[in-house]
Amino acid sequence: MSCPDCGGDLVSIPVPADLQQYLPGDAPGASVCRSCLALRPETEPPADVPDLTRIDSAIPTADGAAIPVVLLVGLLDSLAMHREEITALLERIEREGVDPLLVLDRLAASYGEAAHVDLGRRRRQLEQLL
């Protein structure tokens, strides 16, 4: 399946029950585009989490941080609507020992204007939010 926004390849992931509240809709998983990082609900995710560093080497290798990072990036299209969820995901990523702002810096450097949102600008806005 390809991304409806850019036509890029999608990577499907199962989302643990405690993180499903951060997904749009009530799907048990998500798909993230390898080309633009857009996030979509996934009704039939795989049973196991794939290697998310296939998306980008900036994504943490540990699932406990990787899945929240993917969800965070997917919610950045609207800080106003998703402020509470974004704040919770940032805290969770930090508890996993990962600097979420550094991850966003690295993703911004990798994706530039190809990302579904301006990651550099969102990162600066998140810094103010914290």
Side-chain angles (χ1 to χ4, degrees):
M1 193 158 146
S2 60
C3 176
D5 294 334
C6 72
D9 293 331
L10 296 175
V11 175
S12 295
I13 58 171
V15 176
D18 63 325
L19 290 173
Q20 287 182 357
Q21 63 187 333
Y22 305 115
L23 280 172
D26 58 357
S31 290
V32 62
C33 178
R34 292 180 66 181
S35 299
C36 72
L37 298 175
L39 186 72
R40 304 266 179 250
E42 176 65 53
T43 56
E44 296 182 23
D48 297 319
V49 177
D51 177 9
L52 295 177
T53 60
R54 289 184 354 204
I55 298 169
D56 192 275
S57 61
I59 304 283
T61 55
D63 294 345
I67 293 172
V69 163
V70 168
L71 296 174
L72 170 69
V73 171
L75 294 175
L76 289 178
D77 59 341
S78 179
L79 289 178
M81 281 182 52
H82 303 295
R83 183 178 184 156
E84 192 174 306
E85 294 90 344
I86 288 169
T87 302
L89 287 167
L90 287 169
E91 291 171 0
R92 181 162 181 152
I93 294 164
E94 287 178 337
R95 280 195 309 271
E96 292 292 328
V98 174
D99 181 347
L101 299 180
L102 180 60
V103 172
L104 289 177
D105 284 342
R106 290 178 177 165
L107 288 173
S110 293
Y111 283 84
E113 293 189 21
H116 76 289
V117 296
D118 182 340
L119 293 172
R121 192 173 105 229
R122 290 293 193 229
R123 187 246 188 249
R124 288 187 296 279
Q125 292 170 335
L126 286 175
E127 194 171 31
Q128 293 172 357
L129 194 91
L130 301 173

